[in-house]
Amino acid sequence: MAPSHALKCCKRVINWVPAVFINLVVGWSYYAYVVELCVYTIRNDAERICYLILFHIALFMFIWAYWKTIWSTPASPSKAFVLPRAEKELYEQEDRAEVQQEILKKVAKNLPIYTRTAGGAVRYCDICQVIKPDRCHHCSTCEMCVLKMDHHCPWVNNCVGFSNYKFFVLFLAYASLYCLVICATVVQYFIKFWTKQEPNSHAKFHILFLFFVAALFFISIVSLLSYHLWLVGKNRTTIEAFRAPVFANGPDKNGFSLGFSRNVAEVFGDQAKYWFLPVFSAQGDGHSFVTRLVHIDPEQANSVLQQNGKSPADGEVNSCVISNNVQHTEELSKEKTDGEHTVSVSMESEP
């Protein structure tokens, strides 16, 4: 037990290395910019003040988004997705996979779940012992199931998912802005030192290296930011981009896409005043998602979550969440929409 515990402690310490490295780089960049550039190199007071104000605004927004990404606890499935005691005992006692699946299907029909494994089975985590909600995945590093998991990011030592995906995108955006501000304001002094128009001083190394580091980080971060903005527009996670979610009618990489504006609103919220602030404003509760393949009455979905012990008061619940707790009839009608076939599922309460 002791060696295992020691290994886990070492692993936790090692996991923080990339994040500590980023913080050290940011700390050095602050010293290089404020002290070596603004204090020792720039001679014009008005230029110095303007640069310091612009730099600190970009730095503040960058640090705010970065630390919100790091310290936001990943959201995990609620108790509604845990097997009831009776079903759990039957599941654990049963050795046959097909019987276990029947037990899971019985419980899953009372939950807002529409995705399955590639083989059509109910997605169940044996480690966390929960039925996985749509878009939920188990993170081996965090050792937990994460709602709407995108990926585990070593640079923030945290899982990026429902609770902090907006923060992560803003972190990339403000990190790009921070690097851009540095490059744009340092470039003239970089050229002067490079062409020896400025006399050699202790600031030379810091300013030359600061420009190179900021430019390198800007190129890499903007590339990553562009990819995630594309994912937001498509309403996909990184996992779903590589492996399409499987619905009743098969895999569909666009299954959760509701159109560009609604896709953006799902991550950033419907109030534009919060879009650029690292405050939580995403729609829904992370347990259920509107999908273009399923259309039901939102009031039915909310009543189902309440029956399962998860009321809208427990968190921010999207008024359009979906559920399949009610007895329903599936009317599979294929309609041509933009060259694709859409499956509509209508829900009817049992009299």
Side-chain angles (χ1 to χ4, degrees):
M1 292 296 292
S4 177
H5 179 71
L7 286 173
K8 284 186 176 180
C9 290
C10 290
K11 183 181 177 182
R12 291 194 184 101
V13 172
I14 293 172
N15 287 341
W16 278 106
V17 170
V20 171
F21 171 75
I22 292 295
N23 281 275
L24 290 175
V25 171
V26 172
W28 166 78
S29 70
Y30 184 87
Y31 166 79
Y33 192 93
V34 173
V35 178
E36 299 294 346
L37 176 68
C38 293
V39 175
Y40 291 132
T41 305
I42 299 177
R43 298 176 182 86
N44 185 289
D45 289 339
E47 182 184 6
R48 181 187 294 120
I49 292 172
C50 289
Y51 281 11
L52 285 173
I53 292 174
L54 187 62
F55 173 81
H56 280 91
I57 291 174
L59 176 65
F60 174 75
M61 296 305 296
F62 164 48
I63 295 297
W64 186 8
Y66 183 54
W67 283 90
K68 286 284 285 186
T69 307
I70 291 178
W71 297 112
S72 294
T73 304
S76 57
S78 70
K79 293 181 180 179
F81 292 82
V82 178
L83 290 178
R85 181 176 296 180
E87 282 76 7
K88 184 179 179 181
E89 290 178 355
L90 289 173
Y91 181 86
E92 292 175 345
Q93 292 171 2
E94 185 57 59
D95 295 327
R96 292 169 295 177
E98 60 274 12
V99 178
Q100 288 181 328
Q101 269 301 304
E102 289 302 318
I103 297 171
L104 294 177
K105 286 179 181 178
K106 179 182 177 182
V107 178
K109 74 177 184 180
N110 299 323
L111 296 170
I113 296 175
Y114 285 95
T115 57
R116 295 290 187 264
T117 65
V122 175
R123 300 168 63 244
Y124 182 76
C125 179
D126 289 306
I127 299 175
C128 299
Q129 296 186 328
V130 294
I131 294 176
K132 295 179 184 178
D134 291 343
R135 316 184 86 173
C136 175
H137 298 274
H138 184 86
C139 176
S140 58
T141 304
C142 295
E143 299 179 343
M144 63 182 293
C145 282
V146 179
L147 295 180
K148 198 186 177 183
M149 180 178 173
D150 187 88
H151 69 289
H152 183 91
C153 180
W155 300 108
V156 300
N157 190 31
N158 199 4
C159 252
V160 176
F162 176 76
S163 64
N164 63 353
Y165 186 62
K166 176 191 173 183
F167 306 151
F168 176 75
V169 174
L170 289 180
F171 150 60
L172 295 178
Y174 288 123
S176 301
L177 177 64
Y178 179 69
C179 293
L180 181 61
V181 167
I182 292 176
C183 289
T185 54
V186 169
V187 63
Q188 61 174 313
Y189 296 97
F190 169 83
I191 294 173
K192 288 179 180 180
F193 277 116
W194 190 265
T195 58
K196 299 182 180 180
Q197 296 177 34
E198 284 281 342
N200 286 335
S201 66
H202 54 79
K204 178 178 180 179
F205 165 79
H206 290 283
I207 292 175
L208 291 178
F209 199 57
L210 179 63
F211 180 82
F212 278 123
V213 171
L216 182 63
F217 272 89
F218 176 76
I219 294 171
S220 58
I221 294 173
V222 164
S223 300
L224 187 59
L225 173 62
S226 301
Y227 175 67
H228 278 280
L229 290 177
W230 178 79
L231 289 178
V232 170
K234 295 291 186 179
N235 203 345
R236 296 179 201 165
T237 64
T238 299
I239 295 175
E240 291 165 355
F242 286 95
R243 185 172 64 247
V246 180
F247 295 87
N249 60 320
D252 188 343
K253 62 182 179 181
N254 295 316
F256 293 108
S257 181
L258 306 171
F260 181 78
S261 59
R262 291 184 67 187
N263 292 344
V264 172
E266 191 169 290
V267 175
F268 290 93
D270 52 10
Q271 293 183 284
K273 62 183 179 180
Y274 295 121
W275 286 358
F276 302 101
L277 297 177
V279 294
F280 186 83
S281 58
Q283 294 181 338
D285 63 353
H287 291 83
S288 53
F289 298 89
V290 178
T291 165
R292 67 186 184 87
L293 302 178
V294 180
H295 310 278
I296 71 164
D297 183 358
E299 293 184 2
Q300 291 180 337
N302 285 333
S303 66
V304 169
L305 290 177
Q306 289 176 343
Q307 292 172 15
N308 286 333
K310 180 157 183 55
S311 64
D314 291 338
E316 295 184 30
V317 181
N318 185 0
S319 63
C320 295
V321 291
I322 56 177
S323 172
N324 60 351
N325 186 52
V326 291
Q327 293 293 326
H328 61 275
T329 61
E330 295 188 355
E331 299 174 356
L332 301 180
S333 60
K334 296 187 176 180
E335 304 172 334
K336 275 254 181 174
T337 307
D338 298 331
E340 295 181 354
H341 289 85
T342 303
V343 178
S344 299
V345 179
S346 63
M347 301 294 188
E348 298 178 359
S349 298
E350 187 179 56

